[in-house]
Amino acid sequence: MTYRMLATEPQASSWQLPPAMSDTAPPVDNTYNFIFWFSVAFTVVITALTLYFVVKYRRRPGVRSEPTGHFNRLEIFWTVTPTIFIGILFHVGFSSWIKNATAAEGATEIRVRGKKWVWEFEYPTGDRVPSELVLEKGRAYKMIISSEDVLHSFFIPEFRLKRDAVPGQYSFIAFTPTVTGAAHVFCAEYCGTNHSGMGATVKVLEPNEYQEWAKGLGKCVGTPEECVPERYGESLFAKNACTTCHGVGGTGMVGGSKGVGPKLAGIYNTMQPLMSGGPVMADENYIRESILRPNAKIVQGYANVQMPAFVLKDDQLDAIIAYLKSLK
Ligand code: CUA
């Protein structure tokens, strides 16, 4: 397979920052530059004033120092003004963070798995590719990040993206690549002997080049259970007898009447009312928790049902979640 894209020059880097390759970069860079120049300005002003006062109020023969007074208006001014600046900085940082945390409608989901000491990427077709992530320019993505062993951190400086991969839960990051080219993926959390070698390459292709590349996906030879996450999840759902209580297809219907467990079809990304009050978002983390620790958050109406806890491997959990997400 050939990539023309490597000849494409990435966007020029600034004197401090690497080239910018995703839609996350402009707000992050603007915030960074704002904080940087804000700090430079204050450092210069404060240092200059300090030096000026050192000279102006130096000890002189015959001049007695007077105790400093109290000036309420000045004290209010230098308390309120920085507070306002900190509020503005918080707003700028938080709104950019929210943008990364919220995936666009119809974003392509890619699973990112960290393990000692390699990154593995799983495409919606079920293909798992180690150490190389290929993306399409202009397409919205959502990365579902997990770890199979210890803490790792998924970091692409050119995309201005970093998110921890925490064992036992999923973390998410959303973005759109805006520039073609190649960049490095790093692990930004010390994870053992070969932490520094835990890298991967990310390549952003033009849509037509991506289509060409994507022809190589979905060519898994084997049963659907081995190749398609949803079908693997469906077989695990049956094998673990989830259908006994939740019904075939997660309909909540068993043998024509209401099953022991709640309906699962169509609940993904909806709010579910809990016994303990307050709804919960039925997202990936909630579904995972409900399989591993069913009594942690019980939905209303199922107080007396004792669902057993299941012991499953990460990729099995991922497959079951993929299956439940596919149920409408
Ligand atoms: Cu993985 Cu450091």
Side-chain angles (χ1 to χ4, degrees):
M1 207 173 296
T2 56
Y3 298 102
R4 271 203 306 112
M5 30 105 21
L6 282 172
T8 317
E9 277 302 313
Q11 195 169 308
S13 45
S14 76
W15 62 286
Q16 288 191 57
L17 298 163
M21 291 177 65
S22 85
D23 64 334
T24 304
V28 168
D29 291 4
N30 291 340
T31 312
Y32 175 81
N33 288 324
F34 176 69
I35 294 174
F36 179 79
W37 289 112
F38 186 82
S39 308
V40 167
F42 270 80
T43 306
V44 168
V45 169
I46 290 168
T47 308
L49 277 179
T50 307
L51 293 174
Y52 172 71
F53 289 149
V54 162
V55 175
K56 179 169 163 119
Y57 295 110
R58 68 187 184 278
R59 193 207 299 255
R60 293 205 189 103
V63 180
R64 292 201 41 196
S65 62
E66 285 172 36
T68 49
H70 198 74
F71 191 11
N72 262 337
R73 270 188 294 165
L74 185 62
E75 294 200 5
I76 291 170
F77 172 77
W78 73 42
T79 307
V80 170
T81 312
T83 308
I84 291 171
F85 277 122
I86 287 169
I88 293 171
L89 283 180
F90 175 80
H91 173 78
V92 170
F94 191 63
S95 51
S96 168
W97 185 86
I98 286 287
K99 187 168 151 17
N100 273 148
T102 330
E105 194 67 38
T108 301
E109 294 185 349
I110 294 184
R111 288 187 177 277
V112 178
R113 295 196 188 89
K115 57 185 167 194
K116 292 195 263 183
W117 287 279
V118 65
W119 292 108
E120 180 186 79
F121 306 100
E122 185 181 305
Y123 294 86
T125 46
D127 295 73
R128 296 181 183 194
V129 183
S131 303
E132 189 185 71
L133 174 63
V134 177
L135 304 174
E136 181 181 352
K137 181 181 155 187
R139 186 200 280 239
Y141 284 98
K142 177 183 179 184
M143 304 279 135
I144 302 170
I145 303 163
S146 60
S147 164
E148 294 187 9
D149 37 46
V150 298
L151 263 184
H152 302 277
S153 189
F154 181 70
F155 180 32
I156 313 177
E158 280 81 354
F159 286 49
R160 310 290 191 273
L161 296 176
K162 193 197 287 178
R163 199 63 101 225
D164 280 3
V166 184
Q169 70 176 59
Y170 300 105
S171 37
F172 310 96
I173 201 157
F175 63 93
T176 303
T178 50
V179 176
T180 55
H184 281 291
V185 178
F186 293 92
C187 176
E189 188 68 59
Y190 182 66
C191 56
T193 321
N194 206 18
H195 155 72
S196 60
M198 186 170 167
T201 309
V202 54
K203 290 175 175 170
V204 182
L205 305 180
E206 289 290 353
N208 58 337
E209 292 168 323
Y210 182 84
Q211 298 310 329
E212 199 55 37
W213 174 84
K215 284 180 186 162
L217 290 179
K219 296 248 170 79
C220 170
V221 282
T223 62
E225 283 78 17
E226 288 161 349
C227 297
V228 186
E230 287 87 350
R231 296 288 74 81
Y232 182 35
E234 185 177 15
S235 74
L236 289 166
F237 195 76
K239 271 191 202 134
N240 286 284
C242 308
T243 48
T244 312
C245 298
H246 296 288
V248 176
T251 54
M253 301 297 286
V254 179
S257 53
K258 203 162 171 287
V260 175
K263 180 184 171 189
L264 301 177
I267 63 154
Y268 176 69
N269 254 355
T270 62
M271 302 302 280
Q272 295 294 319
L274 291 182
M275 291 252 317
S276 51
V280 66
M281 173 61 100
D283 59 6
E284 310 238 349
N285 276 317
Y286 173 70
I287 298 173
R288 181 188 177 104
E289 180 182 58
S290 299
I291 297 169
L292 300 174
R293 292 179 299 281
N295 295 321
K297 295 192 184 80
I298 301 173
V299 287
Q300 270 173 26
Y302 293 90
N304 301 319
V305 182
Q306 292 294 312
M307 169 172 159
F310 287 84
V311 180
L312 294 162
K313 286 195 263 178
D314 270 22
D315 65 334
Q316 296 176 320
L317 286 164
D318 288 353
I320 292 175
I321 291 169
Y323 170 59
L324 293 180
K325 282 164 75 170
S326 75
L327 300 174
K328 294 285 176 267

